[in-house]
Amino acid sequence: MRPVIGVISDVKTINGQVTHGVTEKYIYAVARGAQAMPVLIPGTISAVDAAMAPERVVIEEILDLVDGIFLPGSPSNVGPHHYGDRPHDPPLPADPHRDDISLPLITAALKRGVPLFGVCRGFQEMNVAFGGTLFQKLYEQEGRFDHREDSTLDLNGQYAPVHDVALTPGGLLAGLAGAETWRVNSLHGQGVATLAPGLDVEAKAPDGTIEAFRVPNTPGFNLAIQWHPEWRFWEDKLSTGVFTAFGAAARLYAEERRGNPKLKATG
């Protein structure tokens, strides 16, 4: 039986309808790269056509159902009030219904030892959830280069590797890559301003931007990556290794939980 990995959904309005969903590339990477069963987790569910209070997803109920949590990227950003900043004028794309679920889910999953993996927005969510801050416009910071994709290119061009990252010696990524540096894609407008206390850097860009981190000395697998390893992951050794490691951790967690049902209730 494959482990079940919950994938956080974006909440957006399409043709006047509120929609919860995830871009397929992330689902495919979880299904094939991690060899797991992806299950979409909605954000806050609003009664858009009735005078009813929003239905909140219960964090502990989610963790009772899954063997891992995956936080995918998104065009939206973490609400700046979550890290003590004010929104830009005009405001940048946001998704408060996703924030409402993802931020408390991150800390609860880490506490319980549920394998946790964040990419791009998920990377930023993890830093904020643990007490870090973000640059809302990284490309306007002195000494930082523009990490956004070239929108004039097709998808293959936008997701092509464009810069190296230095992998921390002895870190998880350095071990998976078997190298000190790795060439990665870059499609983000925001980035870490202050890394949350207690996190270990796993990779940095040449301009000093933190590109990956982990929470050390905690039960279970956890990793946050700013670039997009899900894009054609099978063509890249490090991307393949990351999803394989995530899936292996989810399988181990599932086996331990099924062997000890009390883990479902107590973590």
Side-chain angles (χ1 to χ4, degrees):
M1 184 180 296
R2 288 184 294 170
V4 176
I5 291 180
V7 183
I8 296 293
S9 296
D10 293 335
V11 184
K12 62 185 75 174
T13 301
I14 301 176
N15 296 326
Q17 301 269 17
V18 176
T19 304
H20 298 243
V22 179
T23 306
E24 188 179 64
K25 59 178 179 159
Y26 297 112
I27 302 170
Y28 187 79
V30 168
R32 296 299 299 271
Q35 292 293 300
M37 172 64 72
V39 174
L40 304 195
I41 299 172
T44 297
I45 305 168
S46 300
V48 295
D49 57 352
M52 298 172 63
E55 176 71 19
R56 291 179 58 87
V57 177
V58 179
I59 300 301
E60 292 304 318
E61 290 180 350
I62 295 173
L63 297 180
D64 283 346
L65 294 171
V66 302
D67 306 305
I69 294 291
F70 181 62
L71 303 135
S74 170
S76 70
N77 305 291
V78 180
H81 64 281
H82 288 294
Y83 49 94
D85 205 354
R86 294 182 178 181
H88 275 275
D89 185 14
L92 300 171
D95 186 346
H97 292 298
R98 172 167 167 167
D99 293 345
D100 196 34
I101 300 302
S102 63
L103 297 178
L105 183 60
I106 288 166
T107 53
L110 187 77
K111 182 178 179 181
R112 190 184 281 205
V114 177
L116 180 65
F117 183 22
V119 166
C120 198
R121 190 195 206 271
F123 162 96
Q124 294 161 10
E125 286 171 325
M126 287 176 66
N127 185 50
V128 170
F130 299 134
T133 65
L134 303 174
F135 289 124
Q136 293 188 55
K137 292 187 176 183
L138 179 63
Y139 45 91
E140 292 185 350
Q141 303 304 311
E142 185 177 355
R144 306 298 178 100
F145 54 74
D146 193 339
H147 287 256
R148 295 174 296 177
E149 69 275 19
D150 184 346
S151 60
T152 66
L153 302 175
D154 62 13
L155 284 179
N156 285 326
Q158 291 178 29
Y159 282 88
V162 292
H163 69 74
D164 289 341
V165 292
L167 305 179
T168 301
L172 173 63
L173 293 181
L176 292 173
E180 297 179 351
T181 62
W182 205 259
R183 196 139 184 97
V184 302
N185 53 40
S186 189
L187 299 93
H188 59 103
Q190 300 197 342
V192 168
T194 302
L195 190 66
L199 304 186
D200 282 355
V201 174
E202 282 277 334
K204 277 189 176 183
D207 65 351
T209 298
I210 295 172
E211 293 274 351
F213 64 77
R214 293 184 66 248
V215 186
N217 305 317
T218 57
F221 175 100
N222 70 82
L223 179 65
I225 292 179
Q226 179 65 86
W227 68 89
H228 286 266
E230 82 286 349
W231 180 259
R232 303 185 72 84
F233 66 87
W234 58 92
E235 295 180 348
D236 181 83
K237 176 184 175 181
L238 182 54
S239 298
T240 299
V242 164
F243 279 100
T244 298
F246 181 43
R251 277 187 292 279
L252 179 61
Y253 181 85
E255 290 169 2
E256 292 176 345
R257 188 174 67 164
R258 289 166 188 147
N260 183 2
K262 290 184 179 180
L263 285 173
K264 295 183 68 174
T266 66

